[in-house]
Amino acid sequence: MTTTPQPAHEVPAPPTMRDVLAAARRIEGLVVRTPALAHPELDRAAASAGAAGASLVVKHENLQHTGAFKVRGALNLLLGFDDDERRRGIVAYSTGNHAQALAHAARRTGTACTIVMPDHPNPLKERAVRDLGADVVLHGATFDDARARAGEVAAATGARLVGAANEPVLVAGVATATLELLEQAPDLEVLVVPVGGGSGA
Ligand SMILES: *Cc1c(COP(=O)(O)O)cnc(C)c1O
């Protein structure tokens, strides 16, 4: 039997339930246990869209630190860093919630954090990331330019390049929101997950 070398773009193994439970213990006290609330007006909207009798429950991760679930993954990653990894830090390319989550978690854990954004980002989002203490590097016209620059920063400094997807430790952290939701609303029959890169899914 021969072993096939893994191509660099191979999707890493997804986290296991054990990883999710470990993440929940690790980030406990540093994240908000956000409420899961019923919204009768959403039930009415669902009924008129053909789902009569559905009782919707919303897991309010908009009330999470930085306003999104991503901080769960960021904390799970950075709390696992040793002193040397924290000193070398992290680098990411993002203009949105990924950047704010990493900056927040970096500040909480004393980790150096550089965020690369394309030139002329949304000033509010840039300000939010700077206010969280991250170094912001503006580079290039497009997201691809920023990604390339982030790779160069990582190569030059030894910082860990943290993608928004394909990061099992982030996914395990994000999954703690689902764990909470299943405790708060154990009778769910259907789970609707917003998907970009897919960490929630
Ligand atoms: C990041 C994000 C998503 C998409 O998550 P993915 O991991 O990219 O699938 C959806 N909603 C909010 C509020 C987000 O911050």
Side-chain angles (χ1 to χ4, degrees):
M1 202 166 83
T2 57
T3 52
T4 316
Q6 286 211 340
H9 62 266
E10 189 94 333
V11 176
T16 63
M17 193 63 201
R18 191 178 294 280
D19 298 323
V20 178
L21 292 168
R25 283 191 297 274
R26 189 183 260 168
I27 70 178
E28 192 184 359
L30 293 176
V31 292
V32 179
R33 187 180 169 87
T34 57
L37 301 178
H39 292 278
E41 64 277 27
L42 284 182
D43 294 350
R44 284 193 290 276
S48 60
S55 304
L56 275 69
V57 175
V58 176
K59 176 70 169 155
H60 277 277
E61 284 291 292
N62 56 311
L63 303 178
Q64 189 53 261
H65 298 306
T66 72
F69 62 79
K70 286 193 178 65
V71 83
R72 295 171 179 269
L75 280 166
N76 191 41
L77 176 68
L78 298 193
L79 287 167
F81 274 17
D82 63 25
D83 288 345
D84 183 51
E85 288 171 310
R86 286 185 188 170
R87 203 162 33 245
R88 281 183 284 135
I90 54 172
V91 57
Y93 51 94
S94 166
T95 53
N97 289 339
H98 182 55
Q100 289 185 43
L102 290 173
H104 173 94
R107 170 172 275 182
R108 290 300 292 258
T109 57
T111 306
C113 178
T114 302
I115 301 294
V116 186
M117 300 179 177
D119 290 330
H120 315 298
N122 176 320
L124 286 178
K125 292 183 172 182
E126 181 190 354
R127 166 64 39 204
V129 171
R130 287 193 195 276
D131 285 350
L132 286 164
D135 292 327
V136 173
V137 174
L138 301 181
H139 180 84
T142 69
F143 221 61
D144 281 343
D145 297 333
R147 176 175 32 216
R149 183 79 191 106
E152 290 165 13
V153 171
T157 64
R160 161 87 142 79
L161 182 63
V162 185
N166 287 354
E167 291 278 0
V169 182
L170 296 189
V171 175
V174 170
T176 64
T178 309
L179 206 56
E180 282 176 18
L181 175 57
L182 294 175
E183 287 169 359
Q184 294 164 318
D187 298 326
L188 292 179
E189 292 173 0
V190 175
L191 201 58
V192 179
V193 182
V195 172
S199 74

